[in-house]
Amino acid sequence: MSSHMLDTDVLVIGSGGAGLSLALRLADHTRVCVVTKVALRETNTLYAQGGISAVLDKKDSWESHIRDTLDAGAGLCNPEVVRFVVSQGKDCIDWLLAHGVPFTEFHTDEGQTHLHLTREGGHTHRRVVHADDATGAALETSLEKHVRNHHNIRILEYHNVIDLITERKRGMPGQRVLGAYALHTLDNRVKTLRARIVVLATGGASKVYLYTSNPDISTGDGIALAWRAGARIANMEFMQFHPTCLYHTQVRSFLISEALRGEGAKLLLPDGSEFMSRFDSRAELAPRDIVARAIDHEMKRLGIDCVYLDISFKPAEFIRQHFPMIYAHCLELGMDITRSPIPVVPAAHFTCGGVLVDINARTDIPGLYAIGEVASTGLHGANRLASNSLLECLVFARLAAEDILREIDQAPMPPALPDWDESRVSDSDEEVVVSHNWDEIRRFMWDYVGIVRTSKRLERAKHRIDMLQSEIAEYYGNFRVTGDLLELRNLATVAELIIRSALGRKESRGLHYTRDYPRTDDSQAPKATILSPSVGQDSAFPPG
């Protein structure tokens, strides 16, 4: 297996809404290479159902959207970041419309056409722009067409990044990022990718849990890459569990959009009784952490496998028109949601923490940026407000692009980089170790570091991940890399970061709920959890 060098000005790792929108904003001015570990469109963005939150209604306001975001974030949002991101909502929607994203519209009696807005949990107004119930697919496929047709964008599909290359790792003075090594999983060759600027846009890490709404690719790659390169990681204890994923024993998890609850759908127990009003005055429209914990509580209290989400009281045509993908998918499984409720359970959905960045999406490492779900920007705090994620992707892609274009002329092209060295490793004859460890991590993370935590459970998880980290490191050092091994290595790193962060927070706040510290501790100013690889220990800093 030999490697070869590829040069570019900006290396974008990841091809979701953040990565593709950044590439398009840069490509008229500089060379861009987009690297993705599977097909270009196979991303978290593709599966996003709900929409993009933006203040477009005259009855709505920035102040209202800001308040809703801060309320959901439970004291850990950066107010300046929140205000700026909210203020960019309309511009982002206009940019997407200009790139052909087919958002759902409605026509007034006067013959006017407007974007249809829906409402989701935690929002006090209708402000979610959507393309039926498949907004992510509409966005991803529209941007993909532009990226594939741009002469200044090179695309490397089926390339799994092994590690970032930095000056520090090369024994050089300084810490600047120089590029990355990437395994081409179709022919098992390793490429050396040299770049002036590197951007992580790899999405989240929810595949670290046994049950997740995310596709199989969501293995926390960018977070692990940044951590190993020396960047700080923030707020990893705040893993969002979507309250309503389809419960079905024969198929993988399938998200049931929060927009159903925005249109009035009710959560029911098996006997048909409603229960959310016992947990929050906002009932089904409470923030996701509250709804997920309420469902988890009822499932454990009653010993049931799921609860039910009912929208069948709405006209059948309304349901088919507003939720065509969910309707069709459930119908394929023998469930007609116009006639009966949907069995649902919570599942890991969104990583609220990530690589710590500033308002320009810069990390601690010179030349390295992070955008989208991989980043901790200060927008989400302890819990993400529904449909703020795609908004964050678009806004920080724009901010990163503007900053990169200011800096690119001064950013040096790195010196020649060495080939990937595999002279001291061999092919593995123990692949079962990879699959076994993969399953073990996801199971104990679900059991011990899930929706409801205890210190004892977290300590058990820490003990297990420490042992597995040693086992994985030994395996990595002895055998040639494979795509499965790289994902396992990254999953283990992310699991450790989540566990350490959760152990360090001696309170319940937002998405982090522990029975040992069930109350939010407001005796001191809320602080983000910051993990720093440079000192190897946790430290706390004010949000932002």
Side-chain angles (χ1 to χ4, degrees), residues 352-426:
C352 286
V355 185
L356 190 64
V357 297
D358 65 14
I359 192 62
N360 292 310
R362 295 186 182 194
T363 72
D364 299 322
I365 300 171
L368 181 66
Y369 294 72
I371 56 175
E373 191 176 350
V374 70
S376 178
T377 64
L379 176 64
H380 304 309
N383 184 21
R384 174 178 71 94
L385 183 66
S387 288
N388 269 359
S389 52
L390 289 177
L391 176 65
E392 178 187 44
C393 287
L394 297 164
V395 171
F396 274 87
R398 173 182 170 182
L399 291 168
E402 292 171 349
D403 195 67
I404 289 169
L405 292 175
R406 287 193 294 266
E407 299 293 325
I408 193 69
D409 289 339
Q410 286 74 45
M413 178 58 74
L417 300 174
D419 285 350
W420 177 253
D421 181 11
E422 56 176 17
S423 60
R424 291 169 289 182
V425 298
S426 61

Side-chain angles (χ1 to χ4, degrees), residues 177-405:
V177 68
L178 307 174
Y181 291 115
L183 173 70
H184 187 196
T185 53
L186 298 184
D187 65 11
N188 290 325
R189 294 181 180 272
V190 176
K191 287 188 175 72
T192 305
L193 310 177
R194 186 170 65 155
R196 301 174 188 270
I197 300 289
V198 176
V199 184
L200 298 172
T202 54
S206 289
K207 199 66 181 178
V208 75
Y209 287 100
L210 184 61
Y211 301 110
T212 174
S213 65
N214 288 189
D216 291 343
I217 57 171
S218 302
T219 50
D221 303 330
I223 295 170
L225 291 171
W227 176 255
R228 290 195 294 267
R232 288 178 297 165
I233 309 296
N235 287 345
M236 287 300 293
E237 68 269 41
F238 301 119
M239 299 293 292
Q240 187 177 75
F241 289 79
H242 197 287
T244 55
C245 284
L246 177 67
Y247 175 73
H248 195 288
T249 57
Q250 304 301 317
V251 297
R252 70 179 295 276
S253 295
F254 177 79
L255 185 69
I256 304 299
S257 172
E258 191 155 341
L260 270 79
R261 285 180 281 135
E263 296 296 341
K266 297 294 183 181
L267 284 163
L268 308 176
L269 297 175
D271 65 2
S273 62
E274 299 179 20
F275 61 90
M276 273 308 305
S277 59
R278 290 192 278 110
F279 294 89
D280 193 281
S281 61
R282 292 164 290 187
E284 279 78 8
L285 289 178
R288 287 175 176 174
D289 61 320
I290 296 172
V291 181
R293 280 200 300 275
I295 295 173
D296 182 72
H297 174 84
E298 291 300 299
M299 288 172 58
K300 290 175 177 174
R301 180 178 71 87
L302 297 173
I304 54 179
D305 293 326
C306 64
V307 297
Y308 296 87
L309 185 66
D310 185 26
I311 198 170
S312 63
F313 55 86
K314 287 278 191 178
E317 184 55 33
F318 174 91
I319 296 171
R320 287 191 288 265
Q321 180 181 350
H322 283 77
F323 307 107
M325 184 172 67
I326 295 172
Y327 171 77
H329 186 79
C330 289
L331 198 62
E332 288 176 2
L333 300 172
M335 293 178 279
D336 185 348
I337 68 173
T338 68
R339 295 175 177 271
S340 58
I342 309 165
V344 294
V345 292
H349 182 60
F350 190 86
T351 308
C352 286
V355 185
L356 190 64
V357 297
D358 65 14
I359 192 62
N360 292 310
R362 295 186 182 194
T363 72
D364 299 322
I365 300 171
L368 181 66
Y369 294 72
I371 56 175
E373 191 176 350
V374 70
S376 178
T377 64
L379 176 64
H380 304 309
N383 184 21
R384 174 178 71 94
L385 183 66
S387 288
N388 269 359
S389 52
L390 289 177
L391 176 65
E392 178 187 44
C393 287
L394 297 164
V395 171
F396 274 87
R398 173 182 170 182
L399 291 168
E402 292 171 349
D403 195 67
I404 289 169
L405 292 175

Side-chain angles (χ1 to χ4, degrees), residues 56 89 147 223 226 259 281 304 314 386 392 430 455 475 508 512 517:
L56 301 178
V147 167
I223 295 170
S281 61
I304 54 179
K314 287 278 191 178
E392 178 187 44
E430 297 178 319
S455 298
Y475 189 99
S508 290
H512 173 70
Y517 304 94

Side-chain angles (χ1 to χ4, degrees), residues 65-79 82 379 385:
H65 191 178
I66 291 167
R67 283 195 303 270
D68 292 345
T69 301
L70 295 175
D71 182 52
L76 284 187
C77 300
N78 182 328
V82 173
L379 176 64
L385 183 66

Side-chain angles (χ1 to χ4, degrees), residues 14 36 56 61 74 81 122 165 183 210 248 427 460 479 491 494 503:
T36 180
L56 301 178
S61 67
V81 170
I165 307 169
L183 173 70
L210 184 61
H248 195 288
D427 289 326
R460 285 175 179 166
F479 299 115
L491 272 180
V494 169
L503 280 168

